[in-house]
Amino acid sequence: MVGVTQPDPTSALPKSWDPAEHEGRLYQGWLDAGYFTADATSDKPPFSIVIPPPNVNGSLHMGHAYEHVLMDALSRRRRMQGYEVLWLPGMDHAAIAMQTMVERKLATEGLTRDDLGREKFIERVWAEKAEISGNIGEQMRRLGDSVDWSRERFTMDEGLSRAVHTVFKQMFDDGLIYQAERLVNWSPVLKTAVSDIEVSYADVEGELVSFRYGSLDDAQPHIVVATTRLETMLGDTAIAVHPDDERYAHLVGTELAHPFVDRLIPVVADDYVDPEFGSGAVKITPAHDPNDFALGQRHDLPMPTIMDEEARIADTGTEFDGMDRFEARVKIREALAAQGRIVKEVRPYLHSVGHSERTGEPIEPRLSMQWWVNVESLAQAAGDAVRGGDTVIHPKSMEPRWFAWVDDMHDWCISRQLWWGHRIPIWYGPDGEVVCVGPDEQPPAGYVQETDVLDTWFSSGLWPFSTMGWPEKTADLAKFYPTSVLVTGYDILFFWVARMMMFGTYVGKGLGPENKVPFGNLFLHGLVRDEHGRKMSKSKGNGIDPLDWVERFGADALRFTLARGANPGSDISVGEDHAQSSRNFATKLYNATKFAMMNGARVGELPPAEDLTVVDRWILGRLEQVLADVDAGFESYEFSKACEALYHFAWDEVCDWYLELAKVQFAENDEKRSQTTALVLGAVLDPLLRALSPVMPFVTEVLWQALTGGESVVVAEWPTASGHGVDAASATTVDDLQRLITEVRRFRSDQGLRPGQRVAARFASLDEAALTPSLPYIHSLARLDADDADFAATASIEVRLSQATVVVEIDTSGTVDVAAERKRLAKDLAVAEKELATTTAKLGNEQFLSKAPDAVVAKIRNRQRIATEEVERIGAKLAGMGGA
């Protein structure tokens, strides 16, 4: 800085910003300082988030990174605002995924889980868990997650297991958990029931086969039905028709013989049947189709299961027993054809088929004895919590989807035929007795425990309070529960969020009258899509490894890219161009701050407003507005709004304008002015870096510490209004100044002037525009010199400003390209003529004039007047140049 002798404050900063040099060191420093460790005894107001637990056998994909960035930004901001913040990490045991992975490894060794036995197999899974569980933790550190690692939990650790058994026991005793034979999604490969979220649907080209029940004589009783799953006809126990279908009225109540099984098939009437579809008759297989199951219950039909757990035909007494379901499909068709029962050519039929997400095979609906939760009262409480405002959903537009699910929820199948997971605490006696054993109880002698384990969603549904020590009354529960906000994707609103709400409202009565819900706010984000808007997937090959971006662009760039596109309920599209842009932003921020510090930028008390220049007052006013926008964005979970405000302020206003204007002030060789400019730079950069730090913690840490000498931006105060306020007059002046400089720069570019080439200029009406005091800025930023005795204008431009039109005459002395200038003016004339035509048309429209408010009409008239003047002015200039 001119006139000031002091050590170079940037000497500790490297020449350029290289994220890899700093991120690991900075993160470890934050851990060592204990910044992320929550204190349950603190007097600070609490703010808490529990992490949606990723599967222990996996790694963080871009969707996880997106979610983590948003949670981290919220946590870091609240920490700076003086809250006692708990962001609690942990992982899910992922029963199906983990067991499948281990079984695949065993297969490579020539072993199955049965070869090991249950106890040894579970030991093997725990060993695998210990080996791979650190991967996710390391990825979270690379992202900069400010989680409290001292409270890391796992859905099968001792404390959470106690919570699971406690809730199960309470719900069993309350009659909310029961055992029943119902239809489930069955995975023949995994040999277990699976939840809806573990079933993905895809269109499959199948065969629609129409065949005949009853007599082959058209004059005798018969009915034609069609199916794509011909093998299930072995389990048919009825044929259904619509009650009003006159074609079959005479057959309702009669019975037709089954072609292969010693069973008579009744014809029943049910409103479920669409008489316009196909033949108007439907085969009913209650044990292998959800709609058929419901109809079977209504009509008290038998429900034979005709496949074993591996989807092989079993117990039908037919030649098809032992066949795989797909082999049986072909053989049954051939057998029906041999009997003459195929009534038309088999035709291709595209239909949606559910597949196991883990193993890929088609899911088989199967009647099975399972454990269930009666969800009626629980779902109602979950719905009422949102209706009553105890939990607020962001965005509000997601509420109808929430109510549609919880208000029409079916009972929940919670048992899985696996070995890895929370074993159901039900014990069976030698004479069929059934007891539920609590966590502090022992089963009676001679009783045998249920072999099934609980659905993973059961334990993860307890996550918000089980991780804080429930059922014990812990300090963490007292301080941090209910949690402040849950951040998760809208795609698991039903599968995970609904279960947490059901459990939270169920156990909440034991946690105090105010603890009705597990979280006060529910922020639902969208999916991360590729730059073309496609959902990321392994099959498409368009997935992005977030750690790859961290390596190439830095964690700050990844984080800013994701946060900048985040709005409640909306999907986000990202590509490498976005990451590179964010990396450029971090570099720009680094270079700008370093430059400012080289010129003496520092944090200190600002002089009174009257001692500041117009551009100083402008940038401080813009800072106030931007901080308000950032706060509004964070409070409404509109991360995009907050990030956009910070980006454009930092790049467009601080770097592109104020720093350039500040150079002029430093060049004045005025000690007081330079000192003031340095303080203003510090007053702008300090809160800017703090406001950016929740999203870009690494680069802001390095810069903020260097600028302020403070301990860490992590524990710095969140920036608030400085009290300088917004100076409307200075904002108008700088807006005029920017427009004038921009127009001169555009003229220079059109003329092909070199960026550094200075030319002489003379101004008219600068006083009327109140810009005479700003002439040094104009000369410097527009590369203009004051006119002298030899000045001879060769071109001029006119710029309409708020108070006057400024004419800039320029002596280019041979540098002006007359043809280019004529082309530029012609372009401006076309714009003005279009505006004149538009406004004239509106003002000539009597319907518009009769309906539009007076203020709107007055605005259009003013636009017409300005356009008219522009057309006349530009036309005159072109005429003077010898062209029109």
Side-chain angles (χ1 to χ4, degrees), residues 57 160 176 504 680 715:
N57 71 310
L160 270 69
L176 296 175
V680 172
V715 291

Side-chain angles (χ1 to χ4, degrees), residues 406-572:
V406 298
D407 292 347
D408 190 32
M409 192 181 296
H410 302 294
D411 283 2
W412 171 22
C413 176
I414 57 172
S415 48
R416 298 290 180 266
Q417 290 64 55
L418 303 170
W419 287 356
W420 171 246
H422 292 282
R423 194 166 175 180
I424 292 177
I426 292 290
W427 294 71
Y428 301 104
D431 296 321
E433 303 93 337
V434 177
V435 297
C436 181
V437 177
D440 296 319
E441 301 171 349
Q442 293 296 322
Y447 278 51
V448 177
Q449 188 175 3
E450 168 68 67
T451 57
D452 287 355
V453 300
L454 286 167
D455 177 14
T456 299
W457 298 104
F458 192 98
S459 52
S460 60
L462 313 180
W463 188 252
F465 51 89
S466 64
T467 52
M468 295 188 194
W470 188 90
E472 307 303 324
K473 293 184 177 180
T474 65
D476 279 359
L477 278 170
K479 179 71 175 179
F480 297 111
Y481 189 84
T483 60
S484 306
V485 59
L486 176 74
V487 178
T488 192
Y490 63 67
D491 53 328
I492 57 172
L493 179 61
F494 172 70
F495 300 103
W496 186 43
V497 179
R499 282 149 175 73
M500 285 189 289
M501 287 288 280
M502 289 193 298
F503 282 131
T505 52
Y506 175 70
V507 307
K509 57 183 179 288
L511 293 170
E514 74 283 3
N515 295 328
K516 299 178 183 177
V517 293
F519 28 81
N521 291 278
L522 171 57
F523 167 61
L524 297 168
H525 61 75
L527 304 176
V528 182
R529 298 182 179 273
D530 70 12
E531 56 192 328
H532 304 294
R534 300 174 303 175
K535 185 176 180 180
M536 291 186 182
S537 69
K538 290 181 180 178
S539 61
K540 292 189 181 77
N542 64 339
I544 301 171
D545 181 352
L547 270 295
D548 176 57
W549 277 15
V550 170
E551 293 282 352
R552 296 166 57 198
F553 306 112
D556 287 325
L558 168 71
R559 292 167 63 102
F560 192 76
T561 297
L562 295 172
R564 191 179 180 186
N567 276 317
S570 300
D571 291 348
I572 173 178

Side-chain angles (χ1 to χ4, degrees), residues 812-839:
T812 55
S813 299
T815 63
V816 172
D817 183 336
V818 176
E821 175 64 358
R822 185 181 294 117
K823 185 177 180 181
R824 181 183 73 82
L825 289 170
K827 189 187 301 181
D828 291 348
L829 179 62
V831 172
E833 288 175 335
K834 182 179 180 181
E835 172 73 352
L836 179 59
T838 300
T839 53

